[in-house]
Amino acid sequence: MSKILRLSILGAGTVGGGVLTLLRENADLLEAQTGKRFEVRHVLVRNPDKPRAVAVPPKLLTTDPQRALCDPKVHVVLELMGGLEPARTLIRDALQAGKHVITANKLVMAVSGDELLRLARQRGVRLLYEASVAGSLPILDALQGALAGNRIQRAVGIVNSTTNFILREMERALDAGEPAETAYTNALQKAQQNGYAEADPTSDVEGYDAQYKTAILARLAFLQYVPLESVYREGITHLSGRDLLWARRLNMGLKLLSISERLPDGRLCARVHPTLIPRECPLYVVRGAFSGVWLQGNGFQEMSFHGFGAGARATASAVLGDLIAVARSPKPPRYEDPSLRPGETAPIESLSMRYFVRLVAPDEDALRTLREPLHLLGAEFHPAEALEQGVEQVALTPPVNEGAFQTQIARLREQPDATVQVIRLLSAV
Ligand code: NAP
Ligand code: HSE
């Protein structure tokens, strides 16, 4: 490779803009770290006339992907546009053309990572994707490098910053005596303005973004291919201010967690859902637009990563890390990527865990009917409370099987005018 590393950047939005900024600000540092100068030759966008937070010299801008991909002088293509297509095809074309690729695209890596990683190896180029999971946190690099000599037992993460930010803003609203529902909407708008949210924020709030990241994280932590559809997903849209209030009363935090663990029978279970965590959990202090990953492994015991999980500069930091890795070692490893091996996965229904259950019924009689099956399970009840409309009661169950429990809960939800909110508790390892 020459002393100049030439780049095509696909996308000049939040992440692309952040990368262009850091490439300029840290040019001398990057040269010192790699012995190479980085030169941007093309920046692909949809609309070259759009005003941009970060100025791009007009001669670099193009709307023609072939210009960015087919330039024989370009060594590395940075895919920072997002979405499945045309991003996936452009990554494939770039690899076929013998370019290294760096991407922040968790959707593409969760859906087609296996195919693309194999293609990169065949073509003798590198495909790196640190920014696709938890923004600035070097978690994928750590799992493949410094921690690779450990058997990972569990990986638990707050991997979506938008939802973590929304939950924090809802808590703040409760403290200020404001409605949690308006706090939710305002926080989502703020996350969009700050560039944390996806182009379609449904992906954040319904847990899809965290599901993509979990498929990638679990694959690298447990060294087996994790099909996206095997990762259970639940978002935060059904949570209310009462759930946050109860979390606080119980001395717990309420987070959208990504949890992957190896079960005693050898199967891997990966899932995303709102979870109540105790104060002692390292992820309890991960608040606002931050992400965190807490790993447990048979050598290092436990380790946590905590930092900005989204935003222009934080994400660009991970992209630059990958760029430096390519500049230093442009050859892919010769051995087969162990994270692409097939392996068995287990559905969430095979787990046993504890649950928080919040029942709301129009009157005490209706509440008693809802309580009945939880009593039989040996749940602990908090005293019932009168709300403006109806009566509320919270119970915590002992560990019970998810499949059987959800069947019972579905029956309770058939009762007219009943609210049956269920939130899982994080179990000890
Ligand atoms: P963004 O702000 O919406 O920017 C997307 C950029 O790609 C824009 O410049 C857009 O062009 C360009 N683009 C999109 N589709 C295109 C197409 N078909 N042809 C040409 N150009 C196209 O998105 P972002 O937030 O930077 O996210 C980019 C990627 O990084 C996504 O995969 C996202 O999941 C990932 N990511 C984002 C963050 C974050 O904090 N935002 C963090 C980690 C990972 P125009 O400017 O002309 O519209
Ligand atoms: N929308 C994502 C988040 C961006 O909020 O975490 C970072 O991947």
Coordinates of all heavy atoms in Angstrom, one line a residue, residues 10-11 44-46 62-66 68-69 77-95 101 103 105 107-109 112 115-116:
L10 N -19.2 6.8 1.6 CA -20.6 6.8 1.1 C -21.5 7.3 2.2 O -21.7 6.6 3.2 CB -21.0 5.3 0.8 CG -20.0 4.5 0.0 CD1 -20.6 3.1 -0.4 CD2 -19.5 5.2 -1.3
G11 N -21.9 8.6 2.1 CA -22.8 9.2 3.1 C -22.0 10.3 3.8 O -20.9 10.1 4.2
L44 N -20.1 10.2 -1.5 CA -21.4 9.9 -2.2 C -22.6 10.4 -1.3 O -22.6 10.1 -0.1 CB -21.6 8.4 -2.3 CG -22.9 7.9 -3.0 CD1 -22.9 8.2 -4.5 CD2 -23.1 6.4 -2.7
V45 N -23.5 11.2 -1.9 CA -24.7 11.6 -1.2 C -25.9 11.5 -2.1 O -25.7 11.2 -3.3 CB -24.6 13.1 -0.8 CG1 -23.5 13.3 0.3 CG2 -24.3 14.0 -2.0
R46 N -27.1 11.7 -1.6 CA -28.3 11.7 -2.4 C -28.5 13.0 -3.1 O -28.8 13.1 -4.2 CB -29.5 11.4 -1.5 CG -30.0 10.0 -1.5 CD -31.2 9.8 -0.6 NE -30.9 10.3 0.7 CZ -31.3 9.7 1.8 NH1 -32.0 8.6 1.8 NH2 -31.0 10.3 3.0
T62 N -20.5 13.4 -5.0 CA -21.1 12.7 -6.2 C -22.4 12.0 -5.8 O -22.6 11.7 -4.6 CB -20.1 11.7 -6.8 OG1 -20.7 11.0 -7.9 CG2 -19.6 10.6 -5.7
T63 N -23.2 11.8 -6.8 CA -24.4 11.0 -6.6 C -24.3 9.7 -7.3 O -25.2 8.9 -7.4 CB -25.7 11.8 -7.1 OG1 -25.5 12.1 -8.4 CG2 -26.0 13.0 -6.3
D64 N -23.1 9.5 -7.9 CA -22.9 8.3 -8.7 C -22.1 7.3 -7.9 O -20.8 7.4 -7.8 CB -22.2 8.7 -10.0 CG -21.9 7.5 -10.9 OD1 -22.3 6.4 -10.5 OD2 -21.2 7.7 -11.9
P65 N -22.7 6.2 -7.4 CA -21.9 5.2 -6.6 C -20.7 4.6 -7.4 O -19.7 4.4 -6.8 CB -22.9 4.1 -6.3 CG -24.3 4.6 -6.7 CD -24.1 5.8 -7.6
Q66 N -20.9 4.5 -8.7 CA -19.8 3.8 -9.5 C -18.5 4.7 -9.5 O -17.4 4.2 -9.5 CB -20.2 3.6 -10.9 CG -21.3 2.5 -11.1 CD -21.1 1.3 -10.1 OE1 -20.0 0.8 -10.1 NE2 -22.1 1.0 -9.3
A68 N -17.6 6.5 -7.0 CA -16.9 6.3 -5.7 C -16.3 4.9 -5.6 O -15.3 4.7 -4.9 CB -18.0 6.5 -4.6
L69 N -16.9 3.9 -6.3 CA -16.4 2.5 -6.1 C -15.4 2.1 -7.1 O -14.5 1.2 -6.8 CB -17.6 1.5 -6.2 CG -18.7 1.6 -5.1 CD1 -19.6 0.4 -5.3 CD2 -18.1 1.7 -3.7
V77 N -13.3 1.9 1.1 CA -14.7 2.5 1.0 C -15.3 2.5 2.4 O -15.3 1.4 3.1 CB -15.5 1.6 0.0 CG1 -17.0 2.1 0.0 CG2 -14.9 1.7 -1.4
L78 N -15.8 3.7 2.8 CA -16.4 3.8 4.1 C -17.9 3.9 3.8 O -18.4 4.9 3.3 CB -16.0 5.0 4.9 CG -14.6 4.9 5.5 CD1 -13.5 4.9 4.5 CD2 -14.4 6.1 6.4
E79 N -18.7 2.8 4.2 CA -20.1 2.8 4.0 C -20.8 3.4 5.2 O -20.9 2.8 6.3 CB -20.6 1.4 3.7 CG -22.1 1.4 3.3 CD -23.1 1.5 4.4 OE1 -23.0 0.6 5.3 OE2 -23.9 2.4 4.5
L80 N -21.3 4.7 5.1 CA -21.9 5.4 6.2 C -23.2 6.0 5.8 O -23.6 7.1 6.2 CB -20.9 6.5 6.7 CG -19.5 6.0 7.0 CD1 -18.6 7.2 7.3 CD2 -19.5 5.0 8.1
M81 N -23.9 5.2 4.9 CA -25.2 5.8 4.4 C -26.4 5.1 5.2 O -27.4 5.8 5.3 CB -25.3 5.6 2.9 CG -25.1 4.2 2.4 SD -24.6 4.2 0.7 CE -26.2 4.4 -0.1
G82 N -26.3 3.9 5.6 CA -27.4 3.2 6.3 C -28.4 2.5 5.4 O -28.3 2.7 4.2
G83 N -29.3 1.8 6.0 CA -30.3 1.0 5.3 C -29.8 -0.2 4.7 O -28.5 -0.4 4.6
L84 N -30.7 -1.1 4.3 CA -30.2 -2.4 3.7 C -29.7 -2.2 2.3 O -28.6 -2.6 2.0 CB -31.3 -3.5 3.8 CG -30.9 -4.9 3.5 CD1 -29.8 -5.4 4.5 CD2 -32.1 -5.8 3.6
E85 N -30.5 -1.7 1.5 CA -30.1 -1.4 0.1 C -30.3 0.1 -0.2 O -31.2 0.7 0.3 CB -31.0 -2.2 -0.9 CG -30.8 -3.7 -0.8 CD -29.4 -4.2 -1.4 OE1 -28.7 -3.3 -1.9 OE2 -29.0 -5.3 -1.2
P86 N -29.4 0.6 -1.0 CA -28.3 0.0 -1.8 C -27.0 -0.3 -1.0 O -26.1 -0.8 -1.6 CB -28.1 1.0 -2.9 CG -28.4 2.3 -2.3 CD -29.5 2.1 -1.4
A87 N -27.0 0.0 0.3 CA -25.8 -0.1 1.0 C -25.1 -1.5 0.9 O -23.9 -1.6 0.6 CB -26.0 0.2 2.5
R88 N -26.0 -2.6 1.0 CA -25.4 -3.9 1.0 C -24.7 -4.2 -0.4 O -23.6 -4.8 -0.5 CB -26.5 -5.0 1.3 CG -26.0 -6.4 1.2 CD -27.1 -7.3 1.6 NE -28.3 -7.2 0.9 CZ -29.5 -7.9 1.2 NH1 -29.5 -8.7 2.2 NH2 -30.6 -7.7 0.5
T89 N -25.4 -3.8 -1.5 CA -24.9 -4.1 -2.8 C -23.6 -3.3 -3.0 O -22.7 -3.8 -3.6 CB -26.0 -3.7 -3.8 OG1 -27.1 -4.5 -3.6 CG2 -25.5 -4.0 -5.3
L90 N -23.6 -2.1 -2.5 CA -22.4 -1.2 -2.7 C -21.2 -1.8 -1.9 O -20.1 -1.8 -2.4 CB -22.6 0.2 -2.3 CG -23.7 0.9 -3.1 CD1 -23.9 2.4 -2.7 CD2 -23.4 0.9 -4.6
I91 N -21.5 -2.4 -0.7 CA -20.4 -3.0 0.1 C -19.9 -4.2 -0.7 O -18.7 -4.4 -0.9 CB -20.9 -3.4 1.5 CG1 -21.2 -2.2 2.3 CG2 -19.9 -4.3 2.2 CD1 -21.8 -2.6 3.7
R92 N -20.8 -5.0 -1.2 CA -20.4 -6.2 -2.0 C -19.6 -5.8 -3.2 O -18.5 -6.4 -3.5 CB -21.7 -6.9 -2.4 CG -21.6 -8.4 -2.8 CD -22.9 -8.9 -3.3 NE -23.8 -9.3 -2.2 CZ -25.1 -9.0 -2.2 NH1 -25.7 -8.3 -3.2 NH2 -25.9 -9.4 -1.2
D93 N -20.1 -4.8 -3.9 CA -19.4 -4.4 -5.1 C -18.0 -3.9 -4.8 O -17.0 -4.1 -5.5 CB -20.1 -3.2 -5.9 CG -21.4 -3.7 -6.5 OD1 -21.6 -5.0 -6.5 OD2 -22.2 -2.9 -6.9
A94 N -17.9 -3.1 -3.7 CA -16.6 -2.6 -3.3 C -15.6 -3.7 -2.9 O -14.4 -3.7 -3.3 CB -16.7 -1.7 -2.1
L95 N -16.1 -4.8 -2.2 CA -15.2 -5.9 -1.9 C -14.8 -6.6 -3.1 O -13.6 -7.0 -3.3 CB -16.0 -6.9 -0.9 CG -16.3 -6.3 0.5 CD1 -17.3 -7.2 1.2 CD2 -15.1 -6.0 1.3
V101 N -13.4 -2.4 3.2 CA -14.7 -1.7 3.5 C -14.8 -1.5 5.0 O -14.5 -2.5 5.8 CB -15.9 -2.5 3.0 CG1 -17.2 -1.8 3.5 CG2 -15.9 -2.5 1.4
T103 N -17.7 -0.2 7.7 CA -19.1 0.2 7.7 C -19.6 0.4 9.2 O -19.1 -0.2 10.1 CB -20.0 -0.8 7.0 OG1 -21.4 -0.4 7.1 CG2 -19.9 -2.2 7.6
N105 N -22.9 0.1 9.5 CA -24.3 -0.4 9.2 C -24.6 -1.7 9.9 O -24.3 -2.8 9.4 CB -24.4 -0.5 7.7 CG -25.8 -0.6 7.2 OD1 -26.7 -1.2 7.9 ND2 -26.1 0.0 6.1
L107 N -27.6 -3.0 10.3 CA -28.6 -3.8 9.6 C -28.0 -4.7 8.6 O -28.2 -5.9 8.6 CB -29.6 -2.8 9.0 CG -30.6 -3.4 8.0 CD1 -31.5 -4.5 8.7 CD2 -31.6 -2.3 7.5
V108 N -27.1 -4.2 7.8 CA -26.4 -5.0 6.8 C -25.6 -6.1 7.4 O -25.6 -7.2 7.0 CB -25.5 -4.1 5.8 CG1 -24.6 -4.9 5.0 CG2 -26.4 -3.2 4.9
M109 N -24.8 -5.7 8.5 CA -24.0 -6.7 9.1 C -24.7 -7.8 9.8 O -24.3 -8.9 9.9 CB -22.9 -6.0 10.1 CG -21.9 -5.2 9.3 SD -21.1 -6.1 8.0 CE -20.2 -7.4 8.8
S112 N -26.5 -9.7 6.5 CA -25.7 -10.3 5.5 C -24.2 -10.4 5.9 O -23.4 -10.5 5.0 CB -25.8 -9.6 4.2 OG -27.2 -9.6 3.7
E115 N -22.1 -13.5 4.6 CA -21.8 -13.5 3.2 C -20.7 -12.5 2.9 O -19.7 -12.8 2.2 CB -23.1 -13.2 2.4 CG -22.8 -13.0 1.0 CD -23.7 -11.8 0.4 OE1 -24.8 -11.6 0.8 OE2 -23.2 -11.1 -0.5
L116 N -20.8 -11.3 3.5 CA -19.9 -10.2 3.2 C -18.5 -10.5 3.8 O -17.5 -10.2 3.2 CB -20.4 -8.9 3.7 CG -21.7 -8.5 2.9 CD1 -22.3 -7.3 3.6 CD2 -21.5 -8.2 1.5

